[in-house]
Amino acid sequence: SDCTAAAQYSSALALCSLTAPAYGDKGTSKARSCSDMRQFYNAKGFPLDTVPQSEISGEHLRICPQGYTCCTSGMEDNLASLSRREMEGLLKDAGRALQVSLTGQYKAFDGYFLDLLNRSEVALQETFTQAWGPLYSQNAQVFSDLYTELRRYCRSANVNLEEVLNDFWTRLLEKLFNQANRQYLIGEDYLECVSKQMETLRPFGDTPRDLTPKITRTFVAARTFIQGLVASGEVVRKVSQVQLSHECMRAMMRMTYCPHCRSMASARPCANYCSNVMKGCLANQADLNTEWRNLADTLMQVANRFDGPSGVDVVILSLPNGISEAMSTMMENIDTVNSKLFQACGNPREGGTSTTGLEDIVNKGKIIVEDRTMNLMPLSPYFQVSDVTKRLRDMQPYWVSLPSILCADRVATGAGAEDKCWNGMNRARYLPEVMGDGLASQINNPEVEIDITKPDMMIRQQIMQLKVMTHRLKQALNGKDVDFQDTSDDVSGSGSGMCADDVCRGPRMSVPSTDRPKLYAYPPENKKVVKGSASQNLPCITIYLLSLVTLLLRR
């Protein structure tokens, strides 16, 4: 009926009025003064000579809506560059805060671990001097070298831990055998024969077989844990320095400074609008999430190994007692050891000095070392496993939580905020849905134009770094020492052989031809074509004409 058609016509007019651009904070069509914008622009460090005194026509704008404006094209470019710099500064600040946390954990554990080593060595020096007398003092370099090599290993020097421990037990056998047989003249060739009998002779009983794997697991885990914390901090540092794309800069400008250009300085972005801008800008960063969580999980697993009866403090502080037990075993069975060695290497020539009182030294040494080292067990107050695991757990969602963190202080809040916030075009409700996290989820992002088939290569390299580090940590959980490689180097460097195509370049994503972009009440600006204000209202005019034709036909 005519009434129905008229109603449709009225609805079309109402829709047009809602979607037509408004001018100024109060929505008036009259050109307003640009005094506020002049003050704001100057406060940002820009000169006032190009700022209009009152609003001008905005056909020249390439980013902001092309209604009446206080911004020239030069001002728009300046503010767009400023928005990028400010955003990159925020990302660096957020990354720096996380780096500080990771560095704090690294320093706490590193200091704790070295403190344990120092206390263990001091305990050995004090107890062995009293317990073993000349048997220790004349061979102190063997023990000192062991602790030196253990420290070097923790500092990620090129040290083979298995060789260090095997060398220690071999040298200890040679020194003790020589000390217990001072009545003989024993040369280097003979001692070399003695060292070759280590496996079959087992002069220290089961102690090396029990103690060596414990030391290996503890030190491998500790060093790899430190490497993991350092590598995590390096990833954060490098990713925080990645330059934002040109499309992101446009989106940040439209969200941050276009309201000022339109004399709507008090308008804050709609929450979902800000989320889509940030998710689009940080799409590549969000792709770190999976491997970042995997690394944090594995770091927590390793950290949990530092606690309990076989924890790092127990193993390191009980090292003097274990070595003392091994020495006692050999010296208590020195006659049997000598017999087997003489049989294997021949009888040494006599002509040395006498060896008296060895039995007293052995018995005294066993008691003193056990008593002293058992009092060194309390945990250091500046490193707690529970504190480290909490911090690691808190940092897990970092990369996907960045958009909400960066939007928290800038979006509109309070009663009715959803209807009065800045949606990129005007003060009105933001209708598009919020995108998911990561590059692939941005295919329909209405705010940031992204080619999802071209991931950021720097970030892909860092994803690979996280995978490599997680692998090392998992190997460390099994006591396996992965050959050390400087984690600050890019693994995808020339000739590294470590960068698989699908990892470094990212998965090859194809966009199905049937996957069409969704239609929104506020369509995204076409970055390739500069639209005028008339083209922005094209859907409204179409609705108006269709309604008018319907009304005329019915008459």
Side-chain angles (χ1 to χ4, degrees):
S1 68
D2 289 354
C3 291
T4 305
Q8 292 175 341
Y9 178 71
S10 300
S11 299
L13 288 176
L15 183 58
C16 287
S17 65
L18 286 172
T19 56
Y23 305 104
D25 245 354
K26 296 180 181 178
T28 62
S29 59
K30 184 180 179 181
R32 295 165 57 89
S33 168
C34 292
S35 59
D36 288 345
M37 183 59 185
R38 288 174 64 83
Q39 183 179 355
F40 173 80
Y41 191 70
N42 189 238
K44 291 292 182 180
F46 300 112
L48 289 175
D49 51 357
T50 60
V51 184
Q53 294 291 341
S54 59
E55 291 179 330
I56 59 176
S57 180
E59 286 86 356
H60 58 278
L61 297 177
R62 290 168 293 179
I63 300 175
C64 296
Q66 295 183 329
Y68 280 108
T69 181
C70 284
C71 290
T72 63
S73 57
M75 291 171 64
E76 188 181 44
D77 290 341
N78 288 339
L79 290 172
S81 297
L82 177 63
S83 67
R84 185 199 313 225
R85 291 196 302 272
E86 289 176 339
M87 176 68 167
E88 289 174 346
L90 289 173
L91 289 174
K92 286 179 182 177
D93 288 344
R96 202 171 292 116
L98 182 55
Q99 280 182 269
V100 168
S101 175
L102 289 165
T103 301
Q105 293 173 64
Y106 152 67
K107 286 184 176 179
F109 180 74
D110 186 54
Y112 164 67
F113 197 78
L114 290 177
D115 180 53
L116 286 176
L117 268 176
N118 291 337
R119 290 165 65 192
S120 178
E121 184 174 23
V122 169
L124 184 143
Q125 291 169 349
E126 292 178 350
T127 55
F128 277 40
T129 299
Q130 297 178 47
W132 293 102
L135 209 57
Y136 166 71
S137 59
Q138 294 176 19
N139 301 293
Q141 192 65 41
V142 176
F143 305 96
S144 176
D145 288 347
L146 172 64
Y147 279 93
T148 298
E149 290 301 297
L150 291 177
R151 285 192 193 88
R152 287 187 63 231
Y153 178 83
C154 289
R155 292 298 190 187
S156 295
N158 189 19
V159 176
N160 187 310
L161 188 58
E162 185 178 356
E163 287 182 4
V164 166
L165 296 172
N166 288 340
D167 183 58
F168 168 73
W169 292 117
T170 300
R171 288 179 66 194
L172 187 61
L173 168 62
E174 293 174 359
K175 297 295 183 182
L176 294 184
F177 174 78
N178 197 22
Q179 197 79 18
N181 293 280
R182 298 292 294 275
Q183 68 272 31
Y184 300 110
L185 293 172
I186 300 174
E188 291 296 323
D189 291 342
Y190 195 92
L191 287 177
E192 185 177 349
C193 176
V194 168
S195 64
K196 290 178 180 178
Q197 313 307 313
M198 173 72 94
E199 286 296 321
T200 54
L201 185 62
R202 293 178 62 195
F204 302 119
D206 293 329
T207 300
R209 192 170 294 181
D210 294 339
L211 194 57
T212 298
K214 288 181 183 178
I215 296 172
T216 301
R217 281 194 300 269
T218 297
F219 278 79
V220 168
R223 185 173 87 157
T224 313
F225 183 73
I226 290 172
Q227 289 176 8
L229 293 175
V230 172
S232 301
E234 275 297 288
V235 168
V236 174
R237 183 183 67 82
K238 289 185 177 182
V239 174
S240 297
Q241 293 176 346
V242 171
Q243 190 174 40
L244 297 174
S245 68
H246 180 72
E247 290 74 18
C248 172
M249 178 185 71
R250 292 173 62 88
M252 288 300 301
M253 168 63 192
R254 192 160 47 246
M255 180 176 73
T256 308
Y257 292 126
C258 285
H260 291 271
C261 290
R262 301 215 45 199
S263 299
M264 297 183 186
S266 63
R268 283 174 160 257
C270 302
N272 288 353
Y273 171 45
C274 185
S275 292
N276 277 342
V277 171
M278 294 300 182
K279 283 174 182 280
C281 285
L282 303 175
N284 282 282
Q285 286 85 338
D287 281 345
L288 288 156
N289 180 56
T290 299
E291 293 306 325
W292 182 259
R293 285 180 176 274
N294 288 343
L295 178 60
D297 274 333
T298 315
L299 280 168
M300 285 188 281
Q301 291 177 43
V302 174
N304 287 328
R305 292 283 182 91
F306 299 147
D307 224 344
S310 59
V312 60
D313 56 325
V314 176
V315 171
I316 294 176
L317 295 178
S318 63
L319 185 55
N321 189 52
I323 294 172
S324 184
E325 284 184 5
M327 293 169 64
S328 296
T329 299
M330 177 173 170
M331 302 313 290
E332 287 170 356
N333 299 284
I334 191 63
D335 292 339
T336 304
V337 170
N338 281 345
S339 175
K340 291 181 178 180
L341 286 175
F342 293 166
Q343 186 177 354
C345 301
N347 293 322
R349 292 187 299 112
E350 294 190 8
T353 58
S354 63
T355 57
T356 58
L358 278 178
E359 295 83 3
D360 293 338
I361 292 175
V362 170
N363 293 330
K364 181 183 175 186
K366 195 168 184 180
I367 296 170
I368 291 178
V369 174
E370 282 182 354
D371 288 346
R372 291 291 182 87
T373 57
M374 288 301 105
N375 294 325
L376 294 175
M377 291 303 165
L379 273 171
S380 174
Y382 52 84
F383 176 80
Q384 296 291 337
V385 170
S386 58
D387 180 53
V388 170
T389 53
K390 180 184 182 302
R391 289 174 181 269
L392 290 171
R393 195 174 293 111
D394 289 344
M395 83 176 196
Q396 279 188 301
Y398 175 75
W399 298 110
V400 291
S401 65
L402 270 177
S404 59
I405 292 172
L406 294 173
C407 283
D409 295 331
R410 68 171 70 214
V411 298
T413 56
E418 290 183 359
D419 296 316
K420 298 177 183 178
C421 54
W422 174 255
N423 63 12
M425 297 293 293
N426 214 329
R427 276 183 181 272
R429 182 179 288 267
Y430 183 75
L431 299 180
E433 64 179 339
V434 177
M435 299 294 102
D437 297 312
L439 188 61
S441 299
Q442 308 309 311
I443 187 170
N444 290 322
N445 192 314
E447 309 307 333
V448 187
E449 185 178 320
I450 303 174
D451 184 348
I452 65 170
T453 65
K454 295 180 180 178
D456 185 279
M457 293 307 299
M458 167 63 81
I459 292 178
R460 295 293 139 173
Q461 291 170 5
Q462 299 313 306
I463 290 173
M464 185 61 187
Q465 288 282 36
L466 294 174
K467 286 185 176 182
V468 170
M469 196 65 246
T470 300
H471 172 70
R472 289 182 188 162
L473 286 162
K474 287 181 177 177
Q475 293 292 95
L477 284 170
N478 298 321
K480 296 179 181 177
D481 187 7
V482 179
D483 289 340
F484 174 71
Q485 176 183 350
D486 187 359
T487 55
S488 65
D489 293 336
D490 288 333
V491 292
S492 61
S494 175
S496 68
M498 299 180 67
C499 194
D501 284 351
D502 286 343
V503 176
C504 287
R505 288 200 280 270
R508 292 179 175 84
M509 301 175 189
S510 58
V511 182
S513 58
T514 56
D515 215 7
R516 297 177 181 173
K518 299 175 183 177
L519 298 175
Y520 299 117
Y522 296 97
E525 181 187 0
N526 187 337
K527 279 79 178 176
K528 297 177 182 176
V529 180
V530 178
K531 295 183 177 180
S533 58
S535 64
Q536 289 173 353
N537 289 324
L538 188 58
C540 175
I541 294 169
T542 305
I543 296 170
Y544 171 83
L545 290 174
L546 286 173
S547 302
L548 185 59
V549 169
T550 303
L551 182 62
L552 290 172
L553 286 175
R554 293 198 176 217
R555 287 183 176 177

